[in-house]
Amino acid sequence: MSLLVVGSVAFDSVKTPFGVADDVLGGSATYFSTAASYFTDVMLVAVVGEDFPEKHISFLKNRKIDVTGLQRSAGSTFRWKGEYGYDLNEAHTLETHLNVFESFKPQVPEQYKNPDVVFLANIDPVLQREVLHQIKRPDIVACDTMNFWISGKKDELIKTLAEVDILLINEGEARELAGEPNLVKAARVVQSMGPSTLIVKRGEYGALMFGSDGIFSAPAYPLESVFDPTGAGDSFAGGFMGYLDNVKNFDGASLRQAIIFGSVMASFNVEDFSLNRMKSLDYKEIESRYREFRTLTFFDDIG
Amino acid sequence: MSLLVVGSVAFDSVKTPFGVADDVLGGSATYFSTAASYFTDVMLVAVVGEDFPEKHISFLKNRKIDVTGLQRSAGSTFRWKGEYGYDLNEAHTLETHLNVFESFKPQVPEQYKNPDVVFLANIDPVLQREVLHQIKRPDIVACDTMNFWISGKKDELIKTLAEVDILLINEGEARELAGEPNLVKAARVVQSMGPSTLIVKRGEYGALMFGSDGIFSAPAYPLESVFDPTGAGDSFAGGFMGYLDNVKNFDGASLRQAIIFGSVMASFNVEDFSLNRMKSLDYKEIESRYREFRTLTFFDDIG
């Protein structure tokens, strides 16, 4: 089993109604890798600047994440600043400094070139494709994207989607990509672009999966304290892909279980700033919350 | 088994992105009774004006709804006019003419005074209590309310809630009633007001139930065409209470099944304007959709 991810490693400054965190470890590939590392071996492709401290690299290595593909370039690490109101579903971006990410050219190391599954986190769709073209075709390719690429580079995004098995995006982005307000119809449009499976992330409302197995609806875990939603989507993707790579089974039943593991990892991640909650997480807690999702959704059949 | 409901019977004029309906049959008690009539015997308490046509009364009677408690007063029937945008979750009220509803004094007929379960639809909390005080204490009392009463008659509402077992309200209203943005904490505040069970209606995101049995999350049925969301909440309540009255079992497992039957009835109701879809509905279709909810939410346990 081996899982390759390409995405961002960043410093985040985040303000929520519950507190403030400045210049903490963030980035899509960071959240993804850390969540996935509870299930499988992760190979990371990303870029950081000269200011990226050794302690963060040690953290990733301690999670047994392979950082051979983490390039260090001249300049500063990608920085994002945002805030959330009481409606924690939506981030308001205050500042984005791409820095070394602006000229990022993903280089896949030789020992990464035969992965079982691949996750292309939310980066330029041209770069997503460049990663795919450097490796042997894996069992499953999943990707994320955002409104910025849907409106700004739609043609390139569509070329990438043609090579993708699973697309994970937010609800509004699914509607925008399909040009269709009804989600069930939108899913069919997106599936016609390439991905046989579409996973729609709905924040505190959970996730919907549209696949060959029909539709699967998963709730979010009802939490008493959501501290910081940053990274929830990438932690979700990490739990989802990490589990799939671990079981090496991609049938409908496994995809459904993977969605729940993704939801579990997202629910832990939002309990604290940055990756703080995942840092102290134990696999027994993950299994225990998985079972709580069963209790949360179970109802009897009719006679 | 017998289910008493008090609420509104109205004429609705509705515009959605998919069409227009003028002066069609509506009202909370109408939607509720019709949905519940697939499961149990319903006794209706409401008021209409002189303009209310016999054909609508015949429709209710054909559904075996007892209309002894449907008063006819001098004046016009309650009229509501509203519209929905592509975000079908929220109605924009254009006109409200209370008409005979303004001076409505619910009179519970003698033969209604020993019901097993009672639903107090969204009316003035003072009137909700007056209904309760005319009858023998039933097994279960459930009620609905809205922001208008939460902000305008909070003290009266709180008195009513003290006599209620189950409260069904929208998500925003639950937060407003509790004065607490986090839904899990808000539920605890609402439960301390009286209702041991809180059901939070989330439109296309389904429903959450907070009860002695823990939290239960039910999805909404993913529909390709939602024509008109009017009455979805009352159809939900009708399926929910109708099923409970039918099985006469109010344990956690039954409440969960009732939530799914409520979700089934709401999902049918929004497929057409007014009560048109429920008019042509067959109980086999209800059972079949119940099983689709099982398929929609099922996932395997971990080994």
Side-chain angles (χ1 to χ4, degrees):
Chain A
M1 57 188 198
S2 60
L3 166 53
L4 170 66
V5 55
V6 58
S8 62
V9 171
F11 289 122
D12 290 343
S13 292
V14 182
K15 192 178 164 188
T16 81
F18 312 105
V20 174
D22 276 321
D23 279 339
V24 293
L25 181 60
S28 58
T30 316
Y31 282 106
F32 179 92
S33 303
T34 307
S37 71
Y38 284 88
F39 302 91
T40 193
D41 298 329
V42 183
M43 302 178 291
L44 173 66
V45 174
V47 63
V48 293
E50 297 151 322
D51 55 350
F52 195 75
E54 215 35 63
K55 68 171 180 183
H56 290 334
I57 294 177
S58 299
F59 163 68
L60 297 170
K61 283 182 179 168
N62 284 339
R63 293 288 332 146
K64 303 214 190 307
I65 297 163
D66 188 333
V67 294
T68 314
L70 182 62
Q71 309 162 31
R72 197 184 276 273
S73 295
S76 299
T77 301
F78 179 23
R79 272 177 166 75
W80 177 79
K81 186 173 183 175
E83 68 178 18
Y84 299 83
Y86 276 100
D87 173 9
L88 291 159
N89 275 325
E90 204 184 345
H92 306 283
T93 292
L94 301 174
E95 293 175 28
T96 302
H97 303 284
L98 291 175
N99 298 331
V100 295
F101 206 70
E102 195 157 10
S103 53
F104 178 42
K105 285 279 164 201
Q107 299 292 335
V108 180
E110 271 314 306
Q111 67 265 43
Y112 283 20
K113 291 197 171 173
N114 193 14
D116 294 319
V117 303
V118 170
F119 184 67
L120 310 168
N122 169 30
I123 59 173
D124 186 327
V126 175
L127 300 187
Q128 290 179 321
R129 237 167 30 247
E130 281 178 15
V131 168
L132 286 186
H133 297 169
Q134 291 177 52
I135 60 174
K136 188 166 163 291
R137 170 77 206 179
D139 292 331
I140 292 280
V141 176
C143 90
D144 189 2
T145 191
M146 70 184 293
N147 45 12
F148 182 77
W149 308 117
I150 294 170
S151 55
K153 280 204 174 181
K154 192 161 184 181
D155 291 349
E156 294 294 344
L157 177 59
I158 284 173
K159 278 191 215 167
T160 298
L161 291 180
E163 301 185 32
V164 161
D165 304 295
I166 303 174
L167 176 64
L168 297 96
I169 47 177
N170 292 336
E171 185 166 12
E173 289 160 357
R175 294 190 164 107
E176 187 181 343
L177 176 60
E180 163 60 53
N182 180 280
L183 205 54
V184 181
K185 289 181 187 163
R188 210 152 43 220
V189 174
V190 172
Q191 287 172 305
S192 75
M193 294 173 176
S196 57
T197 299
L198 170 67
I199 296 168
V200 178
K201 297 177 287 182
R202 301 170 124 186
E204 65 170 313
Y205 299 111
L208 273 182
M209 176 166 63
F210 298 86
S212 50
D213 188 29
I215 307 177
F216 175 57
S217 173
Y221 186 77
L223 283 167
E224 280 207 34
S225 51
V226 176
F227 255 76
D228 174 15
T230 309
D234 296 304
S235 304
F236 176 92
F240 175 77
M241 296 293 287
Y243 177 75
L244 285 181
D245 187 47
N246 178 288
V247 295
K248 287 275 274 167
N249 182 336
F250 312 109
D251 64 11
S254 299
L255 286 166
R256 285 172 177 234
Q257 291 186 296
I259 290 273
I260 300 299
F261 277 112
S263 306
V264 165
M265 298 312 291
S267 76
F268 281 120
N269 182 63
V270 302
E271 288 181 1
D272 204 340
F273 284 104
S274 186
L275 293 106
N276 294 343
R277 182 64 183 93
M278 279 204 274
K279 279 179 184 167
S280 67
L281 196 62
D282 184 88
Y283 191 73
K284 281 204 166 59
E285 293 178 282
I286 295 172
E287 286 189 317
S288 164
R289 190 160 286 183
Y290 183 100
R291 295 207 165 91
E292 288 185 70
F293 270 88
R294 295 259 304 169
T295 309
L296 181 64
T297 56
F298 180 80
F299 59 94
D300 290 313
D301 202 354
I302 38 178
Chain B
M1 59 188 195
S2 60
L3 166 53
L4 171 66
V5 55
V6 58
S8 62
V9 172
F11 290 124
D12 289 343
S13 292
V14 183
K15 192 176 163 189
T16 80
F18 311 106
V20 174
D22 276 322
D23 280 339
V24 293
L25 181 59
S28 57
T30 317
Y31 282 107
F32 179 92
S33 303
T34 306
S37 71
Y38 284 89
F39 302 91
T40 193
D41 297 329
V42 183
M43 303 179 292
L44 172 67
V45 173
V47 62
V48 294
E50 296 152 324
D51 56 349
F52 196 73
E54 220 25 72
K55 68 170 182 186
H56 289 336
I57 294 177
S58 300
F59 163 69
L60 297 170
K61 284 181 177 167
N62 283 339
R63 293 287 331 146
K64 303 212 190 307
I65 296 163
D66 188 335
V67 293
T68 314
L70 182 62
Q71 310 162 33
R72 196 184 277 273
S73 296
S76 298
T77 302
F78 179 25
R79 273 178 164 75
W80 177 78
K81 187 171 182 175
E83 68 177 20
Y84 299 83
Y86 275 101
D87 173 8
L88 291 159
N89 276 325
E90 204 184 347
H92 305 283
T93 292
L94 301 173
E95 292 175 29
T96 301
H97 303 283
L98 291 175
N99 299 330
V100 295
F101 206 71
E102 196 157 11
S103 53
F104 177 43
K105 284 279 164 202
Q107 300 291 334
V108 180
E110 273 312 306
Q111 68 264 41
Y112 283 21
K113 291 197 172 172
N114 193 15
D116 294 319
V117 304
V118 170
F119 183 66
L120 309 168
N122 168 30
I123 59 172
D124 187 327
V126 175
L127 301 186
Q128 289 178 322
R129 231 160 43 240
E130 282 178 13
V131 168
L132 286 186
H133 297 168
Q134 292 176 52
I135 60 174
K136 187 166 164 290
R137 170 76 206 179
D139 291 333
I140 292 281
V141 176
C143 90
D144 190 3
T145 193
M146 70 184 293
N147 45 12
F148 183 76
W149 308 116
I150 295 170
S151 54
K153 279 203 174 183
K154 191 160 184 182
D155 291 349
E156 293 295 345
L157 177 60
I158 284 173
K159 280 190 212 166
T160 298
L161 290 180
E163 302 186 30
V164 160
D165 305 295
I166 303 174
L167 176 65
L168 296 97
I169 48 177
N170 292 336
E171 184 166 12
E173 289 160 357
R175 293 190 164 107
E176 188 181 344
L177 175 60
E180 164 60 53
N182 179 280
L183 205 54
V184 181
K185 289 181 186 162
R188 211 151 44 219
V189 174
V190 172
Q191 287 173 304
S192 74
M193 294 174 176
S196 58
T197 299
L198 170 68
I199 295 168
V200 178
K201 298 178 287 182
R202 302 170 124 185
E204 66 170 312
Y205 299 112
L208 272 182
M209 175 165 65
F210 298 86
S212 49
D213 187 28
I215 307 177
F216 175 56
S217 172
Y221 186 77
L223 283 166
E224 279 208 34
S225 51
V226 176
F227 255 77
D228 174 15
T230 310
D234 296 304
S235 305
F236 176 92
F240 175 76
M241 295 294 287
Y243 176 75
L244 286 181
D245 187 46
N246 178 287
V247 296
K248 287 274 274 166
N249 182 337
F250 312 109
D251 64 11
S254 299
L255 286 166
R256 285 172 177 235
Q257 290 186 295
I259 290 275
I260 300 301
F261 277 111
S263 306
V264 165
M265 298 312 291
S267 76
F268 281 120
N269 182 64
V270 302
E271 288 182 1
D272 204 340
F273 283 104
S274 186
L275 294 105
N276 294 343
R277 183 64 183 93
M278 280 203 274
K279 278 179 183 165
S280 67
L281 195 61
D282 183 88
Y283 191 74
K284 282 204 166 60
E285 292 178 282
I286 295 173
E287 287 190 316
S288 162
R289 190 161 288 182
Y290 183 101
R291 295 208 166 90
E292 288 184 70
F293 270 87
R294 295 259 303 170
T295 309
L296 180 63
T297 56
F298 181 80
F299 59 94
D300 291 313
D301 202 353
I302 40 179

